[in-house]
């Protein structure tokens, strides 16, 4: 991609994971509500490539999408227990502003950071904890209706539906990535559920890179590593996006230590 | 049901259709932003049973749900071309306020007026106009992901997801009715699509009555009459709710005249 890629929420956890892996491969425009300090910028990205803006301000967003080839939209309130007023404004209205500005500017594609919380209530008492273990073959594959575990998840599901609409109406390619449990270096410690939906930093960066390169119309995929005990299918991400994850929480002990070092 | 039923948006088209059929069967509390004039009230409903309130005002909604046994939530901006700011506020935030107040008050069930526009973009150029005809067997059944044809449809899909969350989290029974093309006396005239998704007034009232009587957890059903040329399945509404529609647009000419009178 020759045109710049706008990364909203660039200073957040997912943004930093993406930049740690593929910062050299694109001409980035980094948007965040807070200024990114110069020493935190990845190599090749200067302060001139940063925008301090709030995605709920449609005029700031319109300015930010100018001349970009793609948008990776991560900005929003990331707290699973965020109150309704915040997710309504920051996540639902903010995501509308990003899709709307992208469509108006003729941007080709938007990659939207959705969440496992959009479907968290499939983890019923009847299904858990077996769901988190390798002997269970239940899989969510992205074709199921949203079933959020909190209002944050409701807001992410609404963002996915906005993406569907902007794809159908304006022809934008839209990929929604239901991000699992993103941690650096090792899977979550002593947390079965988190290990089942672990997403390593390098797999995260690779997956978002594939979302910027592959050809697709509208996709909902799961963003997790190649974990033995997953309950999210990786089929769609592999087939459509060419996602090829390298990490697996089964290579670590329950305490989060690498098994080959044990 | 012995406790009152709160009907939001009571003065709108759907509200009047419901009341025209089943006003005598419940103890109603009619909520609308505009006062309902005394001579427009159905028999048995007095002005004391009306509430002038806006569903976007959470305190007014909390007051309105007090001591009700069920809520039929119709209020919102009904325009398919309504702008984002209006559907965000009136339809998404307003529906959250209703579910939230119902859950806080311990109301047993909420029946939510969703819309065919939540899935309107399944009517692609490749599928239409065959989709609107009896020789086509494509059916949407309520298990498919939303695919809205406009921002109004996005807001209705968000309302369905809110219903899913409030069911899972608080145990409310929630039925979402994707209402077709509601008209009085005869199907829409010279409009294939509208005839395929026709909902007569008496079938509308009967369907919402079934939503107030049947036992269910969370359901998404289509609200149309028993039209020969439908592309929405009635299976779920029949099976779970006991819906038994009496009308069929095939009993009318394309011009909307009853065939038995021709």
């Amino acid at each position: 991609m020759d045109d710049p890629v706008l990364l909203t929420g660039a200073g957040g956890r997912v943004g930093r994971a993406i930049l740690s892996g593929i910062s050299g491969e694109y001409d980035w425009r980094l948007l965040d509500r807070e200024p990114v300090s110069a020493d935190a910028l990845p190599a090749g990205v200067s302060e001139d490539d940063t925008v301090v803006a709030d995605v709920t301000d449609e005029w700031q967003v319109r300015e930010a999408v100018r001349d970009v080839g793609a948008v990776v939209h991560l900005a929003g309130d990331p707290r699973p227990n965020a109150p309704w007023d915040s997710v309504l404004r920051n996540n639902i209205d903010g995501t509308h502003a990003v899709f709307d500005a992208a469509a108006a500017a003729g941007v080709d594609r938007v990659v939207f950071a959705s969440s496992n919380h959009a479907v968290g209530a499939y983890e019923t008492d009847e299904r858990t904890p077996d769901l988190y273990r390798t002997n269970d073959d239940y899989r969510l594959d992205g074709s199921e209706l949203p079933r959020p575990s909190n209002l944050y998840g409701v807001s992410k599901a609404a963002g996915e539906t906005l993406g569907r609409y902007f794809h159908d109406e304006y022809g934008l390619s839209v990929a929604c990535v239901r991000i699992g449990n993103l941690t650096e270096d090792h899977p979550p410690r002593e947390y079965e559920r988190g290990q089942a939906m672990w997403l390593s930093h390098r797999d995260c960066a690779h997956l978002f890179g594939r979302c910027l390169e592959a050809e697709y119309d509208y996709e909902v995929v799961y963003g997790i590593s190649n974990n033995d005990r997953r309950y999210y299918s990786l089929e769609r991400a592999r087939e459509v996006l060419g996602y090829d994850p390298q990490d697996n929480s089964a290579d670590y002990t329950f305490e989060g230590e690498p098994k080959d070092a044990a």
Side-chain angles (χ1 to χ4, degrees), chain A:
Chain A
M1 185 163 310
D2 294 330
D3 291 323
V5 175
L6 175 67
L7 182 68
T8 75
R13 291 194 322 124
V14 179
R16 280 176 282 136
I18 292 172
L19 291 171
S20 73
I22 59 170
S23 67
E25 295 175 31
Y26 299 94
D27 182 11
W28 296 95
R29 186 176 298 166
L30 306 183
L31 181 151
D32 207 286
R33 290 201 298 188
E34 306 293 331
V36 182
S37 67
D39 57 343
L41 289 173
V45 179
S46 79
E47 281 188 82
D48 290 346
D49 304 320
T50 67
V51 180
V52 178
D54 191 310
V55 291
T56 65
D57 183 322
E58 63 182 289
W59 297 106
Q60 290 184 348
V61 176
R62 282 181 185 246
E63 188 65 28
V65 300
R66 189 175 297 187
D67 304 323
V68 305
V71 178
V72 177
H73 176 47
L74 313 175
D77 189 329
R79 297 171 297 166
N81 65 347
W84 174 248
D85 286 353
S86 178
V87 298
L88 180 70
R89 177 173 166 77
N90 293 299
N91 299 14
I92 301 179
D93 194 23
T95 296
H96 173 267
V98 168
F99 277 118
D100 194 49
V107 172
D108 286 334
R109 70 175 75 202
V110 175
V111 184
F112 171 61
S114 184
S115 166
N116 66 83
H117 293 280
V119 290
Y122 282 102
E123 297 166 40
T124 57
D125 290 345
E126 293 73 35
R127 291 195 180 116
T128 55
D130 287 349
L131 190 66
Y132 309 135
R133 296 175 181 171
T134 47
N135 56 356
D136 193 290
D137 60 3
Y138 186 83
R139 291 283 185 281
L140 298 172
D141 66 7
S143 68
E144 59 282 334
L145 285 173
R147 197 168 167 183
S149 37
N150 43 50
L151 293 166
Y152 167 78
V154 170
S155 76
K156 289 298 180 181
E160 294 179 1
T161 307
L162 280 163
R164 177 82 247 188
Y165 168 70
F166 278 93
H167 166 70
D168 283 325
E169 188 70 15
Y170 299 100
L172 286 171
S173 293
V174 175
C176 303
V177 181
R178 291 179 177 165
I179 298 170
N181 196 317
L182 178 70
T183 61
E184 205 168 352
D185 300 333
H186 58 77
R189 297 187 195 276
E190 302 182 17
Y191 177 37
E192 278 194 305
R193 178 177 185 267
Q195 292 174 357
M197 60 163 77
W198 183 42
L199 177 63
S200 72
H201 269 216
R202 69 171 166 175
D203 286 340
C204 177
H206 163 64
L207 175 55
F208 279 85
R210 294 311 311 156
C211 290
L212 288 170
E213 297 298 330
E215 293 293 319
Y216 51 83
D217 293 318
Y218 175 80
E219 293 293 332
V220 177
V221 299
Y222 284 96
I224 61 169
S225 288
N226 188 30
N227 309 316
D228 282 356
R229 47 178 182 265
R230 66 181 176 271
Y231 53 97
Y232 296 149
S233 171
L234 290 171
E235 285 307 304
R236 203 66 199 161
R238 288 186 195 275
E239 277 176 30
V240 176
L241 304 175
Y243 178 50
D244 183 24
Q246 300 301 306
D247 292 307
N248 182 344
S249 58
D251 294 336
Y252 296 78
T253 66
F254 186 61
E255 291 74 25
E257 301 303 319
K259 281 186 179 164
D260 55 12

